[in-house]
Amino acid sequence: MAETTNPTLKAAAYTGGGTERERLDLPGELFDGTINMPVMHQAVKAYLGNQRLGLAYTKTRGLVTGGNQKPWKQKGTGRARQGSRRAPHFVGGGTVFGPTGRKYNQTVPRQIRALARKSALNARAREDALIVIDNFSYDKPSTKQMVSLLGAVGVTGKKVLILTDGVKPNVFLSGRNLQRTYVMPYADVSTYHVLWSDVVLIESNALGYELKTVEEKPRAARPKSETKSRGAEKAERKTAKAATKSSNAHKTARKAAKAAGKSAKPKAAAKKTAKKSAGKKKGK
């Protein structure tokens, strides 16, 4: 059933650099609080069905190789009569009623798709998981800048859907290497993409807002312990491994020396006994 409420939904707003702004009232035409679960289920099922290729295929007895003659004569063998090795009950025979390829495409009316997408966006807005970004102005692709924005917004480690106002290649390339981040134009978003994400970041121009520019606040620097480079971490690991190897080498050397000492003692004892026995013989 559809859930309908008429509150003025609000969303957090940030600048492209991660500076927090005042919360915005979302447009009532799109964000009216309507959540229609059956329509969203239909749209997602159709989307996933349209992604399938339907290439599963099995061979019937007319397509498998072999079995061009009778396996044995009709009478006199005591066995059941057979006409071909390609029969389904033989090993290597054909498959009966197996898949032979099909299409899983489903068509959903445009109005139902629009209602499903509206319901998904309302669900994220009611969960306070919808954030408005004033502008994605990237002069060049920068994954570092995208990661810093996600950290400032507080969505690191979550599945983030970034919706831009039109096609912006620099923004797309900036988020392409991030596993849990997906960038696409707002006009191309579907119900599946919105429900896949944990947080949705929408550019303000896509919603019809024209926000004034705000000065970026300098972000607090991280402690040095947290800002170790990968090279420093690798160097520390190498030194730790070298220390463990040297300690192990010392231990093995000590064990070898002890073993050599133990083996030398019986030889010395044998020499002493040989000298004593020789002295006794001389005395006799």
Side-chain angles (χ1 to χ4, degrees):
M1 296 297 291
E3 299 179 10
T4 57
T5 56
N6 294 320
T8 55
L9 294 175
K10 294 187 176 183
Y14 290 84
T15 62
T19 303
E20 189 174 1
R21 302 174 60 111
E22 294 181 358
R23 293 176 67 87
L24 297 175
D25 292 334
L26 296 173
E29 297 178 358
L30 181 61
F31 296 93
D32 58 355
T34 302
I35 299 177
N36 196 319
M37 296 294 291
V39 169
M40 287 194 295
H41 176 264
Q42 182 181 356
V44 172
K45 188 173 67 171
Y47 177 84
L48 294 176
N50 293 336
Q51 306 305 309
R52 299 184 64 177
L53 298 177
L55 300 179
Y57 190 86
T58 55
K59 293 183 178 180
T60 59
R61 62 182 296 167
L63 299 174
V64 296
T65 58
N68 199 26
Q69 60 186 1
K70 281 177 71 66
W72 49 80
K73 62 181 183 178
Q74 182 82 353
K75 294 179 176 292
T77 61
R79 303 180 69 180
R81 54 193 175 186
Q82 303 294 338
S84 174
R85 285 279 186 183
R86 290 187 279 188
H89 57 276
F90 277 106
V91 176
T95 303
V96 184
F97 304 128
T100 55
R102 56 163 290 194
K103 294 182 179 179
Y104 294 89
N105 298 339
Q106 297 183 25
T107 56
V108 181
R110 179 178 56 82
Q111 293 180 349
I112 292 180
R113 282 186 275 122
L115 179 59
R117 188 177 72 166
K118 178 180 178 181
S119 299
L121 290 173
N122 277 309
R124 288 292 173 264
R126 288 173 61 175
E127 295 170 359
D128 201 15
L130 192 141
I131 300 172
V132 178
I133 305 297
D134 59 0
N135 188 19
F136 287 106
S137 56
Y138 284 32
D139 299 332
K140 60 180 181 179
S142 176
T143 305
K144 182 178 181 180
Q145 187 176 353
M146 180 66 71
V147 170
S148 66
L149 172 62
L150 298 180
V153 173
V155 295
T156 305
K158 296 182 180 180
K159 292 185 286 188
V160 182
L161 175 64
I162 299 175
L163 303 179
T164 59
D165 181 24
V167 179
K168 293 193 174 182
N170 290 336
V171 182
F172 174 77
L173 295 174
S174 300
R176 183 175 59 177
N177 290 336
L178 303 178
Q179 288 185 345
R180 292 172 170 259
T181 302
Y182 192 73
V183 182
M184 65 186 307
Y186 175 77
D188 297 342
V189 69
S190 66
T191 307
Y192 173 81
H193 293 103
V194 177
L195 296 180
W196 164 85
S197 63
D198 297 327
V199 181
V200 180
L201 272 63
I202 304 180
E203 193 171 6
S204 61
N205 293 333
L207 297 176
Y209 287 112
E210 291 184 3
L211 301 179
K212 297 180 180 179
T213 57
V214 176
E215 293 183 1
E216 298 286 349
K217 295 180 181 179
R219 295 183 60 191
R222 294 182 181 178
K224 292 184 178 180
S225 59
E226 297 182 2
T227 57
K228 286 183 179 179
S229 62
R230 292 184 180 179
E233 292 180 357
K234 288 183 179 180
E236 289 180 0
R237 290 176 187 172
K238 286 182 179 180
T239 53
K241 286 182 180 180
T244 53
K245 285 182 180 179
S246 62
S247 62
N248 292 334
H250 286 305
K251 289 180 181 179
T252 52
R254 289 176 185 174
K255 289 181 180 179
K258 287 182 180 179
K262 288 180 180 179
S263 60
K265 285 181 181 179
K267 290 182 180 179
K271 286 181 180 180
K272 288 182 181 179
T273 51
K275 287 180 179 180
K276 288 181 180 180
S277 60
K280 286 180 180 181
K281 285 181 180 179
K282 287 179 180 180
K284 288 180 179 180

